[in-house]
Amino acid sequence: MKIAILGGGHGAYAAAADLSETGHEVRLWRRDAAALEPVVRAGAITLKDANGAREVPIALATADIGAALKGAELIVIPTPAIAQHDIALAMAPHLVDGQVVFLPPGTFGSYVMAQAVKAAGNRADVAWAETGTLPYLARKHGEREVNVTIRAIRLPTGVYPARKEAQAIEVIRRAYPAVHGCGDALSGALMNAGPVIHPPLMVMNAAPLQHFERWD
């Protein structure tokens, strides 16, 4: 399957390497062309996991979003919510009928991005789907190196519009078998446990942080 991965963070590099290794034709887009250049030059990402480190060729690494999206059946956007609106505007001229956009995580971005694309004048019949977390626990260890510690085994996913759930889930599962439908986009958005989990961890670590010397 032809898959476009949009983003330059831990999740995007993990997705590009992991999905390429499983046989998909992956196009990785990153708006920062200079930061992407090491992947462009090497034509590969170094993937590290329990099976060791290896070079995984990427079909295309580009700062041209149109080239990344052309012919893509699935578009994966593993980015923070703050990037979604800008990416939606960049995507808008290039989306076509039948494409599936998957946001892991979404934070209700499926609706926000769909509305932004429509407001930009694109009325393509696109399915937007989202789940509550990245499919990976991953960290970049270099300019083109990513370490994957865990792969998700269960990804409840909601779809907007809900009438396209069956089509979207079928397409996404070809890349991520852990995905299963959980209803509409709001149901998918509510799968994100970050707002519940992260604040207590931050509060409970406040005292240890205060033990560090100040340098001002």
Side-chain angles (χ1 to χ4, degrees), residues 3-209:
I3 302 176
I5 309 292
L6 309 185
H10 311 291
Y13 275 50
D18 193 54
L19 295 176
S20 291
E21 191 171 54
T22 55
H24 298 286
E25 181 184 320
V26 169
R27 297 89 169 272
L28 172 65
W29 170 83
R30 185 175 183 177
R31 75 181 82 194
D32 187 339
L36 185 62
E37 184 59 27
V39 182
V40 174
R41 286 198 309 268
I45 290 175
T46 303
L47 174 62
K48 300 194 300 184
D49 60 14
N51 294 319
R54 63 269 189 199
E55 293 286 290
V56 179
I58 306 297
L60 177 67
T62 180
D64 179 349
I65 197 168
L69 294 178
K70 186 175 181 180
E73 189 173 354
L74 175 64
I75 302 162
V76 182
I77 310 179
T79 64
I82 57 172
Q84 290 171 349
H85 187 264
D86 287 347
I87 293 175
L89 296 182
M91 295 167 66
H94 310 287
L95 292 173
V96 298
D97 290 350
Q99 290 181 309
V100 176
V101 181
F102 180 44
L103 310 177
T107 322
F108 212 33
S110 54
Y111 179 79
V112 171
M113 295 185 77
Q115 295 307 305
V117 168
K118 185 181 295 185
N122 188 329
R123 301 282 173 165
D125 187 18
V126 174
W128 301 80
E130 64 176 86
T131 188
T133 185
L134 284 171
Y136 315 94
L137 181 57
R139 286 291 180 271
K140 290 168 69 178
H141 286 178
E143 293 177 319
R144 61 177 192 89
E145 180 179 296
V146 65
N147 183 71
V148 173
T149 307
I150 295 173
R151 290 172 173 82
I153 59 172
R154 186 173 174 81
L155 290 168
T157 298
V159 178
Y160 176 80
R163 61 180 171 79
K164 300 187 75 67
E165 180 183 13
Q167 173 214 346
I169 296 299
E170 186 276 327
V171 170
I172 300 167
R173 281 183 58 85
R174 285 156 57 194
Y176 293 108
V179 161
H180 65 90
C182 70
D184 60 17
L186 180 58
S187 297
L190 292 174
M191 291 296 118
N192 189 341
V196 177
I197 295 171
H198 294 159
L201 296 176
M202 295 168 64
V203 171
M204 296 301 290
N205 279 284
L209 289 172

